[in-house]
Amino acid sequence: MGAKGIADRPGGFFHWLWHGRVGRRPPWVRRILSMLFFFMLAAPAVLLLIFRFVPIPFTPQMALHLVALNPVHYSWREGDQISPYLGRAVIGSEDQNFCNHNGFDWKQINDAWRDYTKRHKPLRGASTLSQQTAREMFLTPVRSFVRKGIEAWLTVLMEALWPKQRILTTYLNVVDWGHGNFGAEAAAENYFGVEASELTPAQAARLAAVLPNPERFKADKPGRYVRRRTGALVSRQHQVVRDALDWCLK
């Protein structure tokens, strides 16, 4: 008898896990398994299917800000209500392979790990826009390996259920641009006094430039790093168009 048959036969581990000992069924095991299935698969999948078509009302990070009595500025905008320069700047800055991967950029992950283990450089992030969107939608900013594992699973679901355009639109709407400004509309209004649809290439590049640390860097009063980074990201916007790095959005 194979291993599966042994495990599933009466008295086997999986038989006990679901049915319990002979004559007894542990209801708590079923409840725990059912809850795990619901929260890890069913609930995220249902929410993703809903939010594929419906604006996201808030994120866990917004809720934390409100609980701490910090201001939250947030207004959802559809993709055609956000300047295309912002999407190009973010792709050029955060994820140039956005249209070509299925949620994970394995080359960037391998390069980051090689730099860390062999060149003794600080371990840098290699999260794609898809991973960042899943994190912003469902998780808190607390760093842990458990959160990273959940984020990976949510990314797989998101890539399976959403088109790339929806992923980018959601990212631009829920990402934290610092000082209580969530999403492109809030950032555009509070930093530049314009609507998200009116952002210029330079303004879009400046917003993308502060993403690594939006509380420290200032989009409206840029320092030397942000000014230098802005110039580079304006050039990358042209590169995104030239090399069709945004082909999946057309």
Side-chain angles (χ1 to χ4, degrees):
M1 182 181 295
K4 184 178 185 301
I6 295 174
D8 289 339
R9 71 182 182 181
F13 174 73
F14 294 111
H15 183 274
W16 173 86
L17 190 62
W18 188 251
H19 298 284
R21 299 179 186 278
V22 176
R24 297 174 59 190
R25 293 182 178 181
W28 60 270
V29 172
R30 286 192 174 187
R31 283 197 293 267
I32 290 176
L33 291 175
S34 298
M35 290 176 63
L36 285 174
F37 174 82
F38 178 77
F39 285 109
M40 291 300 295
L41 179 61
V46 169
L47 288 174
L48 284 168
L49 287 172
I50 292 172
F51 291 133
R52 175 172 176 170
F53 306 101
V54 177
I56 296 166
F58 66 92
T59 66
Q61 192 167 354
M62 293 179 201
L64 290 177
H65 272 249
L66 291 173
V67 169
L69 302 180
N70 292 321
V72 170
H73 308 289
Y74 172 64
S75 295
W76 177 273
R77 293 294 181 268
E78 294 299 335
D80 58 1
Q81 297 174 308
I82 301 175
S83 169
Y85 300 123
L86 186 58
R88 293 167 191 163
V90 166
I91 290 174
S93 172
E94 300 291 306
D95 189 0
Q96 294 186 32
N97 291 320
F98 176 63
C99 283
N100 298 315
H101 62 63
N102 293 318
F104 306 93
D105 190 334
W106 297 109
K107 182 180 184 304
Q108 288 295 321
I109 293 172
N110 291 333
D111 289 348
W113 184 248
R114 184 185 65 246
D115 289 344
Y116 175 69
T117 56
K118 296 185 177 180
R119 301 178 182 175
H120 308 291
K121 293 183 178 181
L123 187 60
R124 57 185 171 85
S127 294
T128 63
L129 287 175
S130 303
Q131 290 174 270
Q132 294 180 53
T133 305
R135 180 170 66 240
E136 294 287 346
M137 270 191 66
F138 291 104
L139 305 173
T140 64
V142 177
R143 294 173 179 267
S144 72
F145 287 111
V146 173
R147 191 206 70 173
K148 202 66 179 175
I150 296 173
E151 175 190 305
W153 171 240
L154 293 171
T155 300
V156 171
L157 286 178
M158 179 174 288
E159 283 278 345
L161 297 174
W162 279 12
K164 289 287 190 177
Q165 178 65 67
R166 188 61 177 180
I167 295 175
L168 181 63
T169 296
T170 299
Y171 176 84
L172 296 177
N173 270 286
V174 301
V175 69
D176 181 4
W177 255 299
H179 312 289
N181 295 306
F182 291 87
E185 184 68 20
E189 288 181 356
N190 283 279
Y191 293 142
F192 306 119
V194 300
E195 296 181 357
S197 61
E198 300 171 329
L199 287 167
T200 66
Q203 290 169 338
R206 202 182 295 176
L207 287 178
V210 304
L211 281 173
N213 195 334
E215 294 294 337
R216 175 186 173 190
F217 302 132
K218 298 182 183 299
D220 53 344
K221 298 178 182 178
R224 182 181 303 175
Y225 165 80
V226 173
R227 289 196 300 269
R228 184 173 65 250
R229 182 70 172 158
T230 296
L233 291 179
V234 169
S235 297
R236 287 194 187 178
Q237 291 177 46
H238 298 298
Q239 178 187 353
V240 168
V241 175
R242 182 193 69 205
D243 298 341
L245 301 180
D246 59 347
W247 63 266
C248 58
L249 307 176
K250 300 175 180 178

